[in-house]
Amino acid sequence: PYDLLLKNYTKDMYMTSTLLRLQTFSSFEMNFKENLPIESILKTIKMVELTIANVYEKELLDIFNSIKDNETEFSTDMMGKRSLKNRSLVYLLKSNKPEYLNMVLGYFKNTKSMTKKIGVLSAIKDYLNTVEHAEIFSSFYKEFENYPTVLNKWFLISASIDNVGAIENVKKLATLETFSYTNPNKVRHLFGGFMSNVSAFHNLDGSGYKLLEETIIKMDAINPSISAGLAKNLSKFNVHTKQRQDL
């Protein structure tokens, strides 16, 4: 089905982008009533993404290079082009080839579109310890640090970075001058991003749950409504394995 989809991508670029997006962890989670196999789901998603990236590398690169969009136009058609271009970029990076890291850095530097830059952040977020990752995240922060609404996206994506130091990363982000626990939107984006970081949030050492618990207690004294909203994320534990429920 992907052969036909990618061959005819110009017919409806937004639809093509949507169909190329795999089911999220949350969509799988809703189909389980108990013993949610988190590690198996994440492994399967990554395996399918890598397969698409490798099998359709040429087609994805052709799509990325052929789509030309007007950054000052915000029509439905143009939104579809940007969405598909960013989606193809996500898959190309999953092939782990250095040339695509160089390509994405150039793409980031040459665009003035905030939407496209956010797309690059999402695409490169898990490629830690690379010059490109450091430069892109640092550059975006410096450019938009005085634009709170845009910077919220940076906090959300930064907190969703999947690596062994994810917990400490979130704690560090919470100490930045541009973050405040008294700002509801900042809290929602930072910890919303963290909870979407499935590996870190559901870590079997319990550190993810402990961080959320500490944040809920902290926010209860500042903004009980936000605290209650965060606490809802602990109400689904009947679907998890006993090992995680005991944490």
Side-chain angles (χ1 to χ4, degrees), residues 119-153:
V120 171
L121 285 183
S122 296
I124 203 172
K125 70 182 181 71
D126 292 326
Y127 297 84
L128 296 169
N129 304 317
T130 65
V131 173
E132 293 82 3
H133 181 282
E135 185 170 344
I136 287 171
F137 270 79
S138 175
S139 177
F140 189 96
Y141 183 87
K142 290 176 181 177
E143 182 177 355
F144 296 106
E145 63 179 315
N146 294 317
Y147 298 86
T149 302
V150 179
L151 200 61
N152 284 342
K153 297 287 187 180

Side-chain angles (χ1 to χ4, degrees), residues 157-211:
I157 295 170
S158 296
S160 71
I161 293 173
D162 184 12
N163 74 312
V164 292
I167 301 292
E168 292 305 314
N169 178 49
V170 173
K171 290 180 179 179
K172 183 178 179 180
L173 290 169
T175 66
L176 293 176
E177 291 184 1
T178 47
F179 179 83
S180 173
Y181 282 100
T182 60
N183 185 316
N185 283 331
K186 284 287 187 292
V187 174
R188 288 192 192 98
H189 281 81
L190 179 62
F191 290 96
F194 169 63
M195 287 181 286
S196 73
N197 189 343
V198 181
S199 296
F201 180 49
H202 293 290
N203 195 303
L204 283 171
D205 66 4
S207 57
Y209 304 148
K210 182 173 177 57
L211 177 59

Side-chain angles (χ1 to χ4, degrees), residues 2 5 12-23 80 83-84 87 91:
Y2 285 111
L5 178 67
D12 189 331
M13 295 195 195
Y14 188 82
M15 180 60 70
T16 300
S17 176
T18 301
L19 292 174
L20 280 173
R21 183 176 184 178
L22 301 181
Q23 279 187 281
S83 177
L84 182 55
R87 184 75 61 207
Y91 278 112

Side-chain angles (χ1 to χ4, degrees), residues 9 12 45 58 95 129 134 149 155 163-164 207 213 222 237:
Y9 75 91
D12 189 331
I45 291 174
K58 181 182 181 302
S95 66
N129 304 317
T149 302
F155 275 107
N163 74 312
V164 292
S207 57
E213 177 189 6
I222 300 172
F237 274 75

Side-chain angles (χ1 to χ4, degrees), residues 216-230:
I216 290 170
I217 293 172
K218 185 181 186 73
M219 289 306 301
D220 195 49
I222 300 172
N223 189 325
S225 177
I226 296 297
S227 178
L230 292 173

Side-chain angles (χ1 to χ4, degrees), residues 35 240-247:
N35 296 319
H240 291 283
T241 60
K242 186 178 186 303
Q243 183 180 7
R244 282 195 165 89
Q245 290 184 36
D246 290 344
L247 294 174

